[in-house]
Amino acid sequence: MARKTGPAPPPEAPAATDDEGERRLLRVAGDRGLSLTERLAARVSTSLYRTPLHRLRLRGRYPLKLLGVPQDPIPGDAAIGERLVAGRMIHAGHMVMTRDLSFSEAGAPPAWQDWANGWEWLRDLAAATDARAGAAVAEPLVARWLARFGVFDAAAWRADVTGTRLLFALGHAPLVLSSSDQVYRSLVLSAMATWARHLDRAAFRLPDGLPRARALCGLYAAGLLIPGGEARAAVALAGLDTLLAALVLPDGGIVTRAPVDALALAELLLFTAAAAPSLGVRPAPLFADTLARLVPSLRGLALGDAMIGGWHGGAVIGALPLERLAKRAATGTEISRAGRWSGYHRLSAGKTILVIDAGPPPPARVSRIGHAGTLAFEMSDGADRLVTNCGGTRGLASPLPAALADGLRTTAAHSTLTIADTNSTRIREDGANKGALGLGVEEVVVQTRHSEEGHWIEASHDGYARRFGMTVRRRLFLSPDGEDVRGEDTVEPAPRSALQRRVDRAFDIRFHLGPGVAATPTADGAGALLKLPAGRVWAMKARFGPGGGLVTIEPSLWIDADGHVHRTVQLVISARTEKAAASIGWSFKRAGK
């Protein structure tokens, strides 16, 4: 049977009203944990985009064709694409049948709405079908979307969503522009040009961050590939140049301190850079230069299993995305070890790798889901994780239960020291800024040293200074052969503390063990024998001060890159300060080869 051309929008998809669009925008803003100021800014921008002046700005010449089609360098999920072919749009744990689709489903999580309205599902569809079969699925959905949101809608036309939609529409044009129906093709091309005109102003109203990068990348690609966009491309590229200087730190870290954000930015830049080669020209140097800093920093966070831990809100990153980046970046084989600006440090010797978070949590203005895990570390022996943190949520295919997601952000979910079962940086529990990080760690002081005798790092933080009048210091040593890891955690009276009388507190040092690690307590209650999945054995030993202490084995968990929850165990060293001070030494030593 021949495929129908020129798919017509269904009558049950009425255009959204202005009030509906704004309500959805503000609901999404609230779900994302935006501050009151950011929500007010979104409302003001929405009002401006509804004015006759902005509608006049959206008018202009409509293109008859695209000048090129960039190749999407990131493979989609064929399983999601196959479900889409079967009539189910599934993302972020939410499913909508395409026969009932309106793109503004009540109850759909913000992540699903952004994915659907950003047309990111085109990548998954392309992974599951050829261009002809994919177009048969995509074009009716595109027609339905245009019927619903052909004019400005606050949520669907949000600048970062619009930039994403432009980039995916351009990169997967064969799926959305294969119809022989010239009316439909004209509608799609006209919509692309209109979105670009909208972004000419809307992209620059966003605060610095990944959303602005998505808006500017879509604007830049549109400037290159839609006829007459030379000036637009130049302005967008200049905006990206300024933005990336603020987002990417001198050592290649990202300002949010979440590796998943660095990965998302790197993949976004790869996709955007592909626009120029589709025209037969070289990409702007900005893209390669930024990737050359991002990729070594990301690789420096990977343990022996080639995966990056779930730092500061992000989920664990698997090996495949890092392999892709390594093949496409000029510095793909380089590894960054010391992060003066990023806050991460890497120690490695033999088969042992340690990654330490020796930086303050990201401020709330750049990240709403940072972790209170200062001075936590992860450790691997070969491909086995020995010590880890519990994980993160951003980047998972399906959301975790809210209580679990909140718990992953706490200090206790990290392999670090906790005083009085209290987070080293507050996580706000109510109000407009619920979930944002509050007072706590403001300064982390770091010293490192490397020699033939081994590798040392010493770091301290002030997260408990205001509340308890105490600071925390951690020293780590890795032997040259990688078989001896020694540490010391010290609690000290905070200098110049406002507290006149410090009350002694109980504290715990946690080592969350990797999946498959079996722990057996030693008879003296001061350590444990740890058997790794590969069969190697490590001995953990604690050395207590005059006040004594205890090592216990307690339940824990680890969230992998696919969102699966692994039941694990943790070693907990428990002790108490005396005169606001304490020092606990500990070690991990490999037993045999």
Side-chain angles (χ1 to χ4, degrees):
M1 181 179 293
R3 177 171 60 88
K4 292 183 179 180
T5 60
E12 69 272 15
T17 67
D18 286 349
D19 288 344
E20 288 173 347
E22 184 168 341
R23 280 197 298 270
R24 282 189 291 109
L25 173 67
L26 294 178
R27 184 177 70 248
V28 169
D31 290 343
R32 289 177 176 275
L34 297 184
S35 67
L36 179 60
T37 300
E38 291 168 323
R39 280 183 275 174
L40 289 175
R43 184 188 291 271
V44 170
S45 295
T46 298
S47 299
L48 291 174
Y49 299 146
R50 290 201 182 112
T51 63
L53 177 60
H54 188 67
R55 288 196 293 270
L56 183 63
R57 288 169 174 164
L58 297 182
R59 297 179 182 177
R61 297 179 60 183
Y62 296 129
L64 300 177
K65 63 176 183 178
L66 299 177
L67 299 177
V69 176
Q71 181 180 3
D72 187 349
I74 312 301
D77 188 328
I80 295 176
E82 290 168 357
R83 292 173 187 141
L84 185 56
V85 172
R88 303 190 300 274
M89 291 190 78
I90 302 175
H91 183 72
H94 186 76
M95 184 186 76
V96 176
M97 301 300 294
T98 55
R99 65 173 180 268
D100 304 321
L101 186 65
S102 71
F103 288 97
S104 57
E105 274 65 23
W112 186 94
Q113 293 183 8
D114 290 354
W115 174 79
N117 289 323
W119 294 9
E120 295 178 66
W121 43 270
L122 289 172
R123 174 180 282 167
D124 302 318
L125 185 60
T129 65
D130 58 24
R132 182 174 181 180
V137 176
E139 287 177 355
L141 297 177
V142 167
R144 184 175 298 199
W145 192 96
L146 292 174
R148 177 74 174 174
F149 301 125
V151 296
F152 174 78
D153 174 85
W157 283 53
R158 205 176 71 229
D160 58 317
V161 174
T162 300
T164 302
R165 184 167 60 250
L166 255 177
L167 193 57
F168 276 86
L170 292 166
H172 295 279
L175 298 184
V176 300
L177 284 171
S178 292
S179 174
S180 60
D181 186 326
Q182 294 303 313
V183 174
Y184 165 79
R185 286 176 54 85
S186 178
L187 282 173
V188 176
L189 289 167
S190 298
M192 291 184 185
T194 301
W195 302 336
R197 296 186 191 103
H198 175 62
L199 288 179
D200 284 338
R201 289 160 181 82
F204 294 92
R205 291 184 177 274
L206 289 175
D208 288 349
L210 271 175
R212 187 169 188 172
R214 295 187 185 99
L216 289 173
C217 282
L219 184 63
Y220 173 72
L224 289 183
L225 302 175
I226 296 176
E230 294 81 2
R232 171 176 292 136
V235 170
L237 187 63
L240 277 172
D241 192 13
T242 301
L243 175 64
L244 292 176
L247 281 184
V248 182
L249 303 170
D251 59 7
I254 193 162
V255 70
T256 65
R257 305 203 62 230
V260 291
D261 289 340
L263 175 64
L265 179 60
E267 293 183 341
L268 176 66
L269 296 178
L270 280 177
F271 196 177
T272 307
S278 72
L279 300 176
V281 299
R282 294 175 63 86
L286 174 65
F287 298 101
D289 292 346
T290 306
L291 287 168
R293 289 188 290 136
L294 278 172
V295 175
S297 180
L298 273 170
R299 285 172 54 82
L301 299 178
L303 295 184
D305 57 5
M307 297 192 295
I308 297 175
W311 300 99
H312 287 291
V316 168
I317 297 174
L320 287 179
L322 296 180
E323 290 178 8
R324 265 198 314 266
L325 288 181
K327 293 177 181 178
R328 293 178 176 272
T331 56
T333 60
E334 296 182 12
I335 292 178
S336 176
R337 299 181 182 276
R340 176 182 174 186
W341 289 274
S342 73
Y344 294 105
H345 293 261
R346 176 189 181 95
L347 305 181
S348 63
K351 295 182 179 180
T352 303
I353 298 173
L354 286 83
V355 175
I356 304 103
D357 178 2
R365 61 181 174 79
V366 300
S367 175
R368 308 294 296 182
I369 55 173
H371 285 183
T374 308
L375 302 192
F377 76 98
E378 294 192 329
M379 172 184 172
S380 65
D381 176 8
D384 289 334
R385 286 176 173 256
L386 178 54
V387 177
T388 187
N389 300 311
C390 292
T393 57
R394 181 187 290 166
L396 294 178
S398 299
L400 298 174
L404 175 56
D406 291 343
L408 295 176
R409 301 179 60 198
T410 63
T411 306
H414 295 76
S415 294
T416 189
L417 183 147
T418 308
I419 297 179
D421 199 25
T422 303
N423 291 323
S424 56
T425 297
R426 287 189 177 95
I427 301 174
R428 299 177 180 177
E429 298 180 354
D430 52 23
N433 291 319
K434 181 180 180 181
L437 293 179
L439 296 177
V441 177
E442 296 181 356
E443 182 181 41
V444 178
V445 179
V446 183
Q447 293 181 329
T448 61
R449 184 159 57 94
H450 306 275
S451 73
E452 295 180 354
E453 299 176 351
H455 310 278
W456 289 262
I457 182 170
E458 179 176 334
S460 62
H461 75 73
D462 59 354
Y464 295 110
R466 293 189 181 183
R467 285 168 287 177
F468 303 143
M470 304 175 191
T471 60
V472 174
R473 183 181 306 275
R474 166 163 280 183
R475 298 180 178 91
L476 289 172
F477 165 80
L478 176 63
S479 66
D481 60 7
E483 297 184 4
D484 184 7
V485 176
R486 294 177 229 161
E488 182 183 29
D489 286 314
T490 303
V491 180
E492 303 169 323
R496 301 183 300 277
S497 172
L499 297 178
Q500 298 299 316
R501 180 175 177 274
R502 299 179 180 90
V503 177
D504 283 317
R505 307 280 180 173
F507 65 91
D508 300 294
I509 304 168
R510 289 181 169 84
F511 303 103
H512 296 273
L513 303 183
V517 178
T520 302
T522 56
D524 60 3
L529 291 178
L530 311 175
K531 186 175 181 180
L532 277 60
R536 290 184 293 274
V537 176
W538 286 72
M540 181 272 174
K541 184 74 173 178
R543 299 180 303 279
F544 301 106
L550 183 66
V551 176
T552 57
I553 300 174
E554 300 180 6
S556 183
L557 56 83
W558 181 69
I559 313 295
D560 68 17
D562 296 320
H564 299 141
V565 180
H566 298 258
R567 295 185 181 277
T568 61
V569 296
Q570 59 179 313
L571 306 179
V572 183
I573 303 175
S574 300
R576 189 175 182 85
T577 63
E578 290 187 2
K579 298 181 179 179
S583 180
I584 302 290
W586 47 265
S587 63
F588 288 84
K589 293 185 178 182
R590 185 187 289 168
K593 299 295 182 181

